[in-house]
Amino acid sequence: EIDPSKHNPGRVVHTVGWPLDMKTYGGSFIYHWGKNLLSIGFVVGLDYENPYLSPYWEFQRFKHHPSVRKILEGGTCISYGARTLNEGGFQSIPRLTFPGGALIGCAAGFLNTPKIKGVHTAMKSGMIAA
């Protein structure tokens, strides 16, 4: 939850790169929604070369960027979480059906990375499976 004076309902911010180096895929999102609520996240591709890279610490660095810090100062963390996004592209989608079941949504690798659509494709594949 953020200060009402900093809240801009409906504002969406997507970034690419910083604080990651040029060889590491990743970026962030900031969504203003609800009553003074903010969703903020940081994504790092799991194929990074640096064995000492910590996605957690890169996210901390990101939150200290002057533009981001300005939004977060005075706010309250209501909840937090982490997840792994599997984004290997069309060639990485596994066999989707097996006796008595099917892989759908994120488990099937349906994340559309260029369009930043994960929930959309997960829901659609669930609707089609139903």
Side-chain angles (χ1 to χ4, degrees):
E1 187 172 20
I2 62 172
D3 182 326
S5 66
K6 300 176 184 178
H7 191 248
N8 187 355
R11 182 171 186 212
V12 172
V13 177
H14 291 139
T15 71
V16 176
W18 191 89
L20 301 172
D21 62 34
M22 296 297 288
K23 294 181 180 179
T24 307
Y25 174 77
S28 70
F29 60 87
I30 301 174
Y31 302 141
H32 293 249
W33 62 282
K35 186 176 180 185
N36 306 322
L37 297 176
L38 185 82
S39 292
I40 183 170
F42 193 75
V43 176
V44 179
L46 294 178
D47 58 349
Y48 53 86
E49 294 178 10
N50 178 357
Y52 302 105
L53 183 136
S54 165
Y56 171 81
W57 286 115
E58 295 302 316
F59 185 37
Q60 299 311 309
R61 286 179 58 200
F62 170 75
K63 291 190 294 185
H64 283 86
H65 185 280
S67 298
V68 179
R69 182 186 318 157
K70 182 172 56 176
I71 297 169
L72 297 177
E73 282 179 336
T76 304
C77 181
I78 296 174
S79 67
Y80 60 91
R83 71 180 323 156
T84 301
L85 304 174
N86 50 343
E87 57 85 25
F90 183 74
Q91 72 280 0
S92 299
I93 296 175
R95 184 168 162 237
L96 300 174
T97 59
F98 51 89
L103 292 175
I104 60 172
C106 295
F110 290 155
L111 174 66
N112 184 339
T113 307
K115 290 188 174 183
I116 314 175
K117 303 283 186 201
V119 173
H120 303 74
T121 53
M123 289 173 53
K124 185 66 173 183
S125 66
M127 290 163 51
I128 292 170

